[in-house]
Amino acid sequence: MNTVNVERFLRKHRQPAVVVASGLLFAVGWVVGYFHDLPRASAALMILAAAVGGYDVAKKAYYTLRSRTVGISTLVTLAAIGAIVIGEYWEAAAVVFLFALGNYLEARTMGKTRSALEELLEMTPDTALVRRDGETVEVPARAVEEGETVVVKPGAKVPVDGEVVDGESAIDQAPVTGESAPVHKATGDEVYAGTINQEGALEVVATGTGRDTTLERIIRRVEEAQEAQAPTETIIERFAAYYTPAIVVLAAGAYAVTGDAVMALTLLVIGCPGALVIGPPVSIVSAIGSAARSGVLMKGGEHLETAGKIDLVAFDKTGTLTRGEPTVTHVDGFGLDEVSVLRYAAIAEKKSEHHLADAILEAAREGVPGDTDADTGLAADGGTALEHPSSAADGPTIPDPDEFDVVAGKGVVARHGDRRIVVGNRALLDDRGIEVPDPVRNRVRDREEDGETAVHVALDGEVVGVVSLGDELRPAAAEVVRALQDAGVRTVMLTGDNERTARSVAERLEIDDYRAELLPEEKQAAIQSFREDGHVVAMVGDGINDAPSLATADVGIAMGAAGTDTAIETADMALMADDLERIPYAVTLSKATRWNIGENVAIAVGTVVLLLSGVFAGYVHMASGMLVHIGSVLLVILNGMRLLRY
């Protein structure tokens, strides 16, 4: 190894090299003094050991003092210099060597708390196979441009965000969404950079490349979250700013009263608030990294600590507790056949952006079964139970309405030719002065008590039918509600659906409470009222209409954030997949983090109190005090790292 390489090696490994050099000098100095009775040589080696190990510490103390801050480095430097001045060379060398060793071990273990981020960075693919000019060429992944077609072979990482245009395969999405099982992908499905193609070859048209991918946004979000301070960290840093100078004053006062220089210097050493300062950040960084690996993005320490206090979780219904994929289940005609009822409803809803409109249009295009019993599958209660027998592409064309108007939270009003169509809830019909006959009212009640959403269809001022829609509950919904209740968290459902449908869903899921027929601003008001009642509230939602409630809640939890920039970058907490089971995990992880921070603070304060008592009782000296201090620092780091395995 030549000189240049030696210098480069020492620069790269400066910290362990300093620890080894200081330790060797300290050991040789002790041997020379103890076995060979050469006190001057021993003293010289001890001073040299303190100088080698303490140079960086003293330099850091100088810079912190220039910024008018008295830090831990200042206390150690004062203690070491004081020990040399009064002839306690062994103590000076021991304190500096142990402090340098502790700093090195602290840096090593702290580095492991960021292992989750490193794992994410390792998932970033380096190269991509791109079709250019009729050939497949390998280029750096960051050089792929949007719109280019990328070939992903079996076993390879997907290099871009994109849409599958050819091929089928199972994709391991765990690095992005935390899903444990591979997800089947085919033409039209989204894939994310950093995920792993397990089976067949895929061709993907890039929609996000370079830094504009979901994985890159996750990495940036985790980096920012791990740097953001939690309230506890801020409080402790402020406390340390006053505590450390107070230790200097205490040591000076102890010397003035007792004249015992060794005791005063020992107070400087054992008063270091190292464990107190480092404990909360370790817990926060470990928890945020662990959550990211499981598909949960936390915005930062503040939101993580707040989430640890959550005692009420409010769920949106559609798309959160249900799949958000409603389908028409029944059509009931009153004086008009079911085919016509559904067709008129589809015409009125054609220009609507409401999620129920798509279901009605799809059902109308698929074609309601004919009017014979064998074809229609007429339900036992008289309505037509739809079976969706054909594709929408082959169904009848739905004409545009001549006039169209949306009544927010109630429905739509349209004109087609000379027919006036009203499609919506009871409130809309009441507003329009349309009477609802008893048979219609009874049928609507029956459908709603079954958990369906019943929509009235009125033609020229008369109700001619009811279209009922169902939305399947997510399989994990009941289990998630139960898990939160077991953790002592109250559950509430907020929905724009009618009272009977909401009650039916709430009873099936055994949710503690529900609020029905809410407009977006009323959901927001409900969240505010929960907070005013003293609850710490989390709101779980996925739609744009949930945005005000998510912003009002103490913690807004967005679902299915993979592929959506806004949710990843703005939500307090984002679940990368539509996986409700992540919610109890996130809530209990947050509570465990708060408890872990408390443990670390208790360890730090308890250690300082014990050491102070030991110093005044004469049982603790400089080197032993520093050893215990370092032990407490490493203990809080290891305790915080337990959250990496949560």
Side-chain angles (χ1 to χ4, degrees):
M1 188 179 290
N2 58 36
T3 306
V4 174
N5 288 336
V6 170
E7 289 179 0
R8 188 177 300 162
F9 177 84
L10 289 176
R11 276 200 301 271
K12 186 177 180 181
H13 301 89
R14 177 184 175 84
Q15 195 173 20
V18 167
V19 172
V20 170
S22 177
L24 283 174
L25 288 167
F26 174 60
V28 173
W30 179 78
V31 169
V32 168
Y34 190 81
F35 291 104
H36 302 286
D37 196 22
L38 297 172
R40 290 190 176 182
S42 174
L45 286 168
M46 291 292 182
I47 293 172
L48 189 58
V52 170
Y55 174 76
D56 288 341
V57 181
K59 193 164 69 173
K60 185 176 179 182
Y62 169 72
Y63 285 117
T64 55
L65 283 173
R66 283 186 62 181
S67 61
R68 299 181 179 181
T69 302
V70 180
I72 297 171
S73 300
T74 306
L75 296 182
V76 174
T77 303
L78 286 175
I81 293 173
I84 291 172
V85 169
I86 64 174
E88 296 288 344
Y89 309 118
W90 186 93
E91 295 277 14
V95 164
V96 169
F97 165 67
L98 289 173
F99 187 71
L101 177 63
N103 279 348
Y104 170 66
L105 295 175
E106 178 184 318
R108 292 265 302 180
T109 46
M110 278 294 288
K112 291 183 179 178
T113 64
R114 299 183 185 273
S115 59
L117 184 58
E118 290 175 4
E119 289 175 16
L120 287 173
L121 289 169
E122 289 171 1
M123 294 309 299
T124 306
D126 298 323
T127 61
L129 294 174
V130 185
R131 292 205 190 285
R132 288 179 178 171
D133 300 326
E135 295 184 1
T136 302
V137 295
E138 185 171 358
V139 301
R142 293 183 180 277
V144 179
E145 297 182 1
E146 285 190 23
E148 286 192 304
T149 300
V150 175
V151 178
V152 186
K153 293 183 176 180
K157 293 177 188 172
V158 179
V160 296
D161 283 2
E163 180 180 323
V164 178
V165 292
D166 191 26
E168 282 186 46
S169 184
I171 298 285
D172 178 2
Q173 297 193 145
V176 173
T177 66
E179 293 167 286
S180 56
V183 180
H184 180 262
K185 297 287 184 179
T187 301
D189 289 336
E190 276 188 309
V191 293
Y192 308 112
T195 57
I196 302 167
N197 181 18
Q198 294 197 323
E199 296 175 354
L202 294 174
E203 291 197 10
V204 175
V205 170
T207 56
T209 63
R211 290 180 59 79
D212 187 26
T213 65
T214 298
L215 182 63
E216 289 281 349
R217 283 191 285 273
I218 292 172
I219 290 170
R220 288 199 296 273
R221 172 72 182 263
V222 173
E223 287 175 333
E224 291 167 2
Q226 290 186 335
E227 295 301 324
Q229 282 195 327
T232 304
E233 292 178 77
T234 305
I235 292 170
I236 287 177
E237 281 201 358
R238 287 177 183 168
F239 170 75
Y242 294 99
Y243 168 84
T244 313
I247 288 295
V248 177
V249 174
L250 176 66
Y255 178 71
V257 172
T258 65
D260 188 341
V262 174
M263 186 183 77
L265 295 174
T266 305
L267 284 173
L268 290 177
V269 171
I270 60 97
C272 294
L276 190 63
V277 172
I278 205 169
V282 171
S283 304
I284 297 289
V285 169
S286 298
I288 288 174
S290 177
R293 254 191 328 220
S294 300
V296 179
L297 290 187
M298 306 276 191
K299 199 170 186 178
E302 178 182 354
H303 299 279
L304 182 62
E305 280 201 24
T306 304
K309 304 173 189 173
I310 289 171
D311 61 2
L312 188 150
V313 173
F315 292 94
D316 173 50
K317 182 180 80 68
T318 303
T320 303
L321 294 172
T322 67
R323 291 186 183 278
E325 299 168 356
T327 56
V328 174
T329 55
H330 296 82
V331 178
D332 298 288
F334 297 89
L336 192 69
D337 64 273
E338 289 84 0
V339 174
S340 299
V341 169
L342 189 56
R343 184 174 173 78
Y344 277 117
I347 292 170
E349 294 281 7
K350 189 172 182 184
K351 292 188 176 180
S352 172
E353 295 182 353
H354 196 279
H355 66 281
L356 295 183
D358 292 338
I360 292 173
L361 277 166
E362 185 178 356
R365 286 173 177 144
E366 287 178 349
V368 176
D371 55 3
T372 63
D373 287 350
D375 289 334
T376 60
L378 204 64
D381 54 7
T384 300
L386 297 184
E387 296 176 352
H388 310 289
S390 59
S391 69
D394 299 329
T397 302
I398 306 299
D400 290 339
D402 298 313
E403 294 178 5
F404 170 77
D405 189 23
V406 175
V407 183
K410 297 179 179 178
V412 298
V413 178
R415 184 178 65 79
H416 176 60
D418 58 352
R419 312 304 299 267
R420 179 68 61 182
I421 312 169
V422 176
V423 179
N425 57 21
R426 177 65 183 268
L428 180 61
L429 269 60
D430 289 343
D431 289 348
R432 300 277 158 173
I434 300 173
E435 185 180 350
V436 180
D438 286 343
V440 174
R441 188 180 297 116
N442 293 338
R443 184 56 50 86
V444 168
R445 183 197 60 213
D446 293 342
R447 300 299 187 208
E448 291 176 346
E449 286 179 347
D450 287 340
E452 297 177 352
T453 300
V455 179
H456 303 78
V457 181
L459 202 59
D460 299 329
E462 289 188 11
V463 179
V464 296
V466 174
V467 178
S468 303
L469 302 100
D471 190 4
E472 187 180 352
L473 290 174
R474 291 184 187 275
E479 186 179 337
V480 166
V481 169
R482 194 160 44 248
L484 287 170
Q485 291 167 339
D486 290 344
V489 177
R490 183 175 171 77
T491 55
V492 178
M493 182 180 72
L494 305 178
T495 177
D497 261 337
N498 62 81
E499 164 72 20
R500 284 190 286 264
T501 301
R503 183 173 65 242
S504 173
V505 172
E507 288 175 351
R508 287 160 63 189
L509 296 178
E510 298 183 359
I511 286 179
D512 295 316
D513 194 7
Y514 68 92
R515 305 284 173 89
E517 301 178 13
L518 298 180
L519 298 172
E521 58 269 26
E522 292 172 326
K523 288 184 182 179
Q524 184 183 16
I527 295 291
Q528 186 60 42
S529 70
F530 294 142
R531 295 186 65 192
E532 289 171 357
D533 290 341
H535 291 289
V536 179
V537 182
M539 172 71 193
V540 188
D542 73 327
I544 293 174
N545 63 347
D546 296 326
S549 305
L550 291 170
T552 302
D554 294 289
V555 179
I557 304 176
M559 287 186 59
T564 55
D565 306 5
T566 306
I568 291 176
E569 292 171 7
T570 62
D572 300 331
M573 193 184 293
L575 311 184
M576 300 310 295
D578 278 334
D579 184 1
L580 273 179
E581 291 177 288
R582 297 290 97 185
I583 294 173
Y585 162 80
V587 172
T588 54
L589 170 65
S590 303
K591 291 182 181 296
T593 304
R594 282 194 74 220
W595 183 256
N596 191 272
I597 290 173
E599 289 174 342
N600 281 347
V601 171
I603 290 171
V605 173
T607 302
V608 170
V609 170
L610 283 175
L611 286 175
L612 278 173
S613 304
V615 170
F616 288 118
Y619 294 112
V620 176
H621 302 282
M622 286 180 66
S624 59
M626 177 57 77
L627 192 62
V628 174
H629 165 75
I630 291 170
S632 68
V633 170
L634 295 178
L635 182 60
V636 299
I637 292 174
L638 293 173
N639 187 48
M641 287 176 66
R642 290 191 300 117
L643 294 170
L644 286 171
R645 298 191 300 274
Y646 192 87

